[in-house]
Amino acid sequence: MFTDQGKPGLSTAPAFLAVLVKYNIYAMLLLLLVASTLLSEHFLTVQNIYNLLRQLAPLALVSIGMLLVILTGGIDLSVGSVAAIGGMVVAMAMPALPFDGGVSLLICVLTAVAAGALLGAVNGVLVAGFGMASFVATLAMMTMARGLAYMLSNGQPVRFPRDLPTAQILTGFGSKGVPGIGTPWPVVFALAVTLLFIFLLRRTSWGRLTVATGSNETAVRLAGLPVGRYKFLAYTICGGLSGLAGILVTSRTAVGTPVTGIGLELDAIAACVIGGALLSGGRGTVTHTMIGVLILGLIGNIMNLMSVPAYPQQIIKGVIIILAVLMQGLGGAANRRV
């Protein structure tokens, strides 16, 4: 087979580069997996993999919520603070209930999720109802929710008694694995939530219209559909998932603290962007966002195994984000040429 220049094989390299650009996120994940395996003998151990996935479970939940907001063309800077509220509420509610056991814990968890969803709903009202810029509305909520977390705890960590049956169930959930296979319960839970939202976004009218709201809000509005409702639901669900993330953190640490989730919003945004979501809205998938979560986790994990200080880790994460966005731009340009 000859190219236009009459020489065989010259189109092989451009074709390979086009495939590499198109599937850059998979290539990046594979590269990090290979590099991590070669750089540290401890990386592929079962204990390290399970610890990595357990640590990423809260970020996975928050990133799904962030993706919903980004799909509508917005941003949510309050997710880290809302996660702190979720952890604080569940830690304070357990000793306050007059009975112990699974029902008591369920009430605590639902209360914490409801608190997160309520804060998310406030964001939704400000953005969808009053037309406030999402950056401004969620920035204000980030500050207020963090201040509320400090007020609830008087600035101190809230440790719940280990002898409470509810506390034992929660900490067991955070530290133990599924009998027989050993997979940590938080990982199983995060996977179930991920599969649920993959289905919702792909197979339901709510999911398709949420994406359409960010892709072409004017067309959705002219079709007579309630654009504001989809935006409101996105922020509310994001708040609820952030509250759940705070509970997962508390289940692992056995303490509710007002500093939970600091910087979590930036990691969630980074995971979505690395996964190919457009900050302008209308494009992004849960699957690719989870790959973005794994990429961020792998970067931190291998640098921790190699004893790299925290500050260089932030620089490397920033470089990875820039490269991911550049690759997405190249991929979009290639698709337009085709």
Side-chain angles (χ1 to χ4, degrees):
M1 184 69 182
F2 287 80
T3 62
D4 293 339
Q5 289 76 17
K7 296 181 180 181
L10 289 182
S11 62
T12 303
F16 172 76
L17 290 176
V19 172
L20 183 62
V21 168
K22 182 177 181 180
Y23 299 102
N24 64 84
I25 187 172
Y26 299 102
M28 189 181 302
L29 178 62
L30 180 61
L31 179 63
L32 283 172
L33 286 171
V34 173
S36 300
T37 303
L38 295 176
L39 290 173
S40 175
E41 61 182 6
H42 302 292
F43 173 72
L44 280 182
T45 61
V46 175
Q47 181 179 3
N48 180 64
I49 296 299
Y50 279 169
N51 285 338
L52 171 62
L53 294 177
R54 184 184 285 110
Q55 292 169 4
L56 290 179
L59 176 59
L61 297 184
V62 173
S63 297
I64 292 173
M66 183 68 74
L67 175 65
L68 296 179
V69 173
I70 289 177
L71 285 173
T72 65
I75 201 77
D76 191 344
L77 300 178
S78 67
V79 292
S81 300
V82 174
I85 291 293
M88 293 295 302
V89 168
V90 77
M92 297 177 67
M94 282 191 294
L97 290 178
F99 52 93
D100 297 319
V103 175
S104 178
L105 180 60
L106 180 62
I107 294 174
C108 295
V109 169
L110 291 178
T111 302
V113 173
L118 178 61
L119 296 177
V122 173
N123 287 332
V125 170
L126 293 175
V127 174
F130 292 93
M132 188 177 295
S134 60
F135 181 91
V136 176
T138 59
L139 179 63
M141 180 56 71
M142 177 181 73
T143 304
M144 291 188 295
R146 186 68 64 181
L148 179 60
Y150 278 104
M151 288 179 61
L152 289 173
S153 63
N154 291 320
Q156 301 295 322
V158 177
R159 301 182 182 276
F160 40 84
R162 292 294 189 99
D163 56 345
L164 282 177
T166 49
Q168 293 173 358
I169 296 173
L170 184 62
T171 54
F173 177 85
S175 60
K176 296 180 181 179
V178 179
I181 59 176
T183 306
W185 281 111
V187 177
V188 175
F189 181 77
L191 178 61
V193 174
T194 298
L195 294 175
L196 172 63
F197 278 93
I198 288 176
F199 171 79
L200 291 176
L201 283 177
R202 287 183 178 180
R203 302 298 182 183
T204 67
S205 59
W206 168 79
R208 291 190 291 269
L209 289 173
T210 297
V211 176
T213 297
S215 178
N216 194 334
E217 180 176 335
T218 302
V220 176
R221 196 182 298 276
L222 291 175
L225 298 171
V227 171
R229 182 186 302 173
Y230 295 106
K231 289 186 176 182
F232 173 80
L233 285 175
Y235 285 95
T236 303
I237 294 172
C238 184
L241 289 174
S242 299
L244 268 177
I247 296 171
L248 290 187
V249 173
T250 301
S251 71
R252 192 175 73 246
T253 61
V255 60
T257 170
V259 299
T260 294
I262 291 180
L264 187 59
E265 61 281 346
L266 300 181
D267 284 341
I269 295 171
C272 293
V273 171
I274 291 173
L278 287 179
L279 293 179
S280 57
R283 192 182 80 182
T285 67
V286 175
T287 302
H288 284 179
T289 298
M290 291 302 101
I291 295 177
V293 170
L294 287 174
I295 288 174
L296 287 177
L298 285 172
I299 295 170
N301 183 251
I302 190 58
M303 288 191 290
N304 286 335
L305 290 176
M306 297 179 66
S307 301
V308 177
Y311 300 127
Q313 292 188 28
Q314 299 301 318
I315 296 174
I316 294 173
K317 283 184 179 180
V319 172
I320 294 295
I321 295 170
I322 292 173
L323 290 176
V325 173
L326 289 176
M327 292 293 284
Q328 292 167 20
L330 291 174
N335 291 333
R336 286 192 295 271
R337 285 196 297 269
V338 174

